[in-house]
Amino acid sequence: MSRSSITLSGFEIAEAPLDVDIALLAESSWIPAIVPGGVHESLLAAGLIEHPYRDENEASIRWIEERDWWYRTRFDGPSELAADERVRLVFHGLDTVADVWLNGRHVGGHENMFRPADFDVTAVLQPVNEILVRFRPPLAGLDVPPQATALFTRLAAVLAAISGRRSKDAAPQANTGGGTFISEMLPLATLRRKAAFSWGWDFGPRVPSIGIWRPVELRRERIATITGHHIRTEAIEPDGTALVTVLVEVEDFSPTPSLQASVSLVSPRGARHDVSLPVVDGRARGLLRIADAELWWSHDLGEPSLYDVTVVLVAGGVEVDALSDRVGIRRIELDRSDDPEGGRRFGFVLNGVPIFARGAAWLPADMLVGSVSAERHRELVGLARDGGMNMLRIWGGGIYEHDAFYSACDELGVLIWHDFMFACVDYPSADPKLAAEVAAEAEYQVRRLRNRASMALWAGNNEVHVLHGYAYQNHDPGDWGWHFFHDILPRAVAEHGGGVPYWPGSPWGDSPEEGFLAINGVRDGDRHAWEVWHGMDVGAGGGDYASAGEARHYRRYANDTGKFISEFGIHASPELSTLERWITPAELDVHSPTMDAHNKDHPKNKGDAIMEIITGLPQSMPQYVDFTMVTQAEGLKFGIEHYRRRQPSNNGTLVWQFNDVWPGFSWSVVDYEGVPKAGYWYARRAYAPVLASFRQVGDGLELWICNSTASLVTTTARVSVSPFEGRGEGETVAATVEPRSASLVWRTEGPFGEDQFAWVESVDGAFPENRLFFAEIKDLPFSEQALQVTITDAGDGEAVVDIAAEHFAYFVHLPTPAPGVRFSDNYVDLRAGTSRRIHVTGLPSGFGADDLRVETYAGMPNRS
C-alpha cells in the first residue's frame, strides 16, 4: 500500500489556571473546539465571550492569553502495522507554546507557529488513542532581550526629532507603527516565533491567537516517503523551449530495493512530459526539455498557465508514495542595472519582460488567523486582480499564509513579494536556540513555497534594518538580526528555493552616497514612503511646513525619486455600513471613545490635519467617512500617477495596505468585510496597464501616457480644460509610447482657475478617462448635482444601475448594502451630460434593487 492519511477532528477544549493537572478538570469544562481555528473562535461558538471586534470588547478578552488551554480528541488506531511501516502525527500549525501527549506519553513540545510539529508515534499507538495538547500563555517564560529595549529607547528620541521638524505648529509624535504596544510587547515577542501583529499594531487590536490553527494529520507510511519536490525553470530559449529541472527528495526508513521516482507534467492544452529517475542518496534529479512551453504570466501580461504535476515513488515495482501539484513554467529575476538617472534600478523581470509592479501589502485577513476560509482568500485575491494589481507583498509582521492564498495567486496571475516573518524590532540573532528555530522555519517555508509560480521575491524582514539604522546610524553586523537577514535566510533560499531572488529586507538599499539612510533611500533598492502620512522629513522633500497638514499632504509624493515604493498610504474609514455592523449606534460618532478604539494609529486625530486642507473638517459621520475616503483616494491617485510617470527609473508601487485584520480604521483599500473603499477604485484606474495622467508644472499643464505593457501603444487622446458647469470638446492628441515607459505627449500654458478642471479620455479605449482639479476639493465649485438614476432588478442577485448627470458630479457611488455585493465600477466622476452604467452582483437573499442607492460627495451644501 502507498501512504495513507487521515485528518483528525472532534477536538474539545478546556480552560485551566496555569500548571493545573488536567485530571482535576471537570468533564463539564470541555466544549467543542474549532480546528483549524483557535481558542477565541471556540469560545465565540460556545457563546462564552462577546466578539472582541465589537465596540470596545477587545479588553474584555485579555484574560484568554493568560491561561493554559487544553485540547483533546480520540481516534481509532490503524490496523496492525507491518515491520516496514511507520505512523506520524503531524500538527501543521500549533499557535504557539504547546506540549503534546499521546495516550499519556509526552511525545514532544513546540514553540513555533510557522512550522509543523511532526512526531513519529508508531510505538505509542493503541487500538483507541487520546491526544492531549496544552497551550501555555504565548509569552510565558520570556525575558525582554536588552537590545530590543535599547532600540526603542533610542528610536523614540530619533523619530521624535524627525517628526519635530515636520511643521512649525505640531508637537513631535514618535510613531514607529503601532503606538505604545511596541515598547511593551514586541521586544518580548522577539524570542517567540509567533506573528508580531498578534500583540496589536497601528492597524489592529491586541488579540493574540492561540490554538490548533492548521489541520492535524495522521500519516501511515511504508518503506519510504517523498519529503519534497521542486520543478524549476532553468531557462526559456528563444524558440519557446523551456529547460526544467526536476528534483524529488526521499526518506527511506526501511531496508528497500532500489527506489524510482516517476514525474509527469501535463500542460493546460494536454501535452504530457514524463521522466523516470533513480533515487540516489535520497534524491532523484532530471532535466526536461519542454517544447512550446505554456508559460505562466501575471494576469496583465498573459495567461497564468499551470501544469499538473504527478510524482510517484516506486520501491521494487510497488508504489509506496505519490503526490500531485500544479506549477508554472516561468523565470523571475531582479533588474539591478545602472539607472541613467543615477543609482541602480530595482525592478522585476518575468520571462524576460520587465514589469511595473502595481499592487499592495497583504495582511492576514483576520486577527484569528486559523479561521480564514479558502473562499475568503480567493475572494480577496480576486479583488486585487480585478483592481489591476499584479503583485501582493506579504508583510513580515503577519504569517506565512494558508495554501489557499498561494493557490489563488497562482491561478489568478498575481505575483507575491514575500517577507520572512520579522518586523520592526531588533532580534537577538546570537541566541543559538532562536537561530536554530529560524533556520528550521526558513527551510520549511522555502521548501513549502518553492513550486509556487506566483513567488517573485523573498525579503528578509519588514523595517528591521531601517529602524535599527535610524536608532544607531548604521546597519553594521551585530546581535540585532543581521545574522538572520544576511546569512541564515539567504542561505535557505539559495539551498532550497533556487530561482526566486532574495532581498535582505524591506526597505533595503546600499547606495554609498546616502550612508545609513540608503536603507530607505532614493538611489537604490526599495523604499517605504511614509513622509506623507507621518509628516516626517526623511526622503520626500524635507523642510519646515506651515502646518502638520501641509507636512502630511499627498502632494509631497511629487518630491519622491525612489526606485521602487514598497509601502505608502493614507488612512481612510470603512464604509458607514461596515461600521454600523460593528459599532453600537449610540457610539457611531466622530472620535467617540468606541470609534477611537477602532483606530489604532496615534494620535487618533492625525487625519484631521490633512482633511482640514483637502476637504475641511467633517461635522457628521457621513462626512467623516467621505472625507477620509476622499483624502485617501485622491492621495493614492496622485502618488501612483507620479511614480508611474517615472517609469523606468521607478518600477513599482505597492500601496500600504490592501486588506484589514478587523473592522477598524486603517490604510487599507478593502475593509475587513471585503468592501472596497474609494481608494480601491481610484487605485484600480491608476493601475490600468496604460494610464494617462496630468501634471502641473508652474503655470503649465502636461499630459503623460504611461505604458506598462510589453507592446508599443499607439492611441489618440481627447484633452480639454473646462468649467464645471459644462464640458469642452477640447483637442485630440496622437501619441505613441514605447513599452515599459512614460512619455510627455501634450502641454499647454495656464493659468488655470479653481472653477476649471482638466479631462482626458481615449478615443480608442486604450486607457481609462482621467481628470485633474486645480484646487483642493473643499474649494471646488460643486453644485447640488442633479442625477437621474434608474435601477433595474436583473434577478439572481443582480441589478443594473444607470446614472446620468446634468452637472459635474463628484464621487458618485453606491454604498454596499451587504458584504459580498460587488459593483463593476464605483466612486466615479461624471461630467455634465454624461452617464454611467454600473452592474451589481452578489445581492444576497432578502436584498434586491430596492436596497441600492446612489450617493455623491457628502461635502456638498446641505449634506450632513
Side-chain angles (χ1 to χ4, degrees), residues 88 156 166 257 300 439 481 484 628 664:
R88 292 161 52 215
R166 69 189 175 191
D300 56 320
F484 295 163
T628 60

Side-chain angles (χ1 to χ4, degrees), residues 500-541:
V500 175
Y502 176 80
W503 191 243
S506 184
W508 171 260
D510 59 2
S511 168
E513 296 90 340
E514 294 178 293
F516 79 90
L517 291 175
I519 308 165
N520 197 34
V522 298
R523 293 181 59 82
D524 185 61
D526 70 308
R527 74 180 308 267
H528 293 185
W530 283 114
E531 290 80 8
V532 167
W533 177 253
H534 293 310
M536 298 187 298
D537 292 342
V538 178

Side-chain angles (χ1 to χ4, degrees), residues 158-203:
V158 171
L159 293 184
I162 292 173
S163 296
R165 294 195 299 270
R166 69 189 175 191
S167 68
K168 299 176 181 177
D169 67 351
Q173 295 284 342
N175 190 314
T176 62
T180 58
F181 90 92
I182 284 185
S183 58
E184 295 173 357
M185 302 304 301
L186 194 55
L188 187 62
T190 58
L191 285 168
R192 190 76 82 215
R193 297 305 296 146
K194 177 173 175 57
F197 88 120
S198 298
W199 311 105
W201 215 268
D202 53 3
F203 52 73

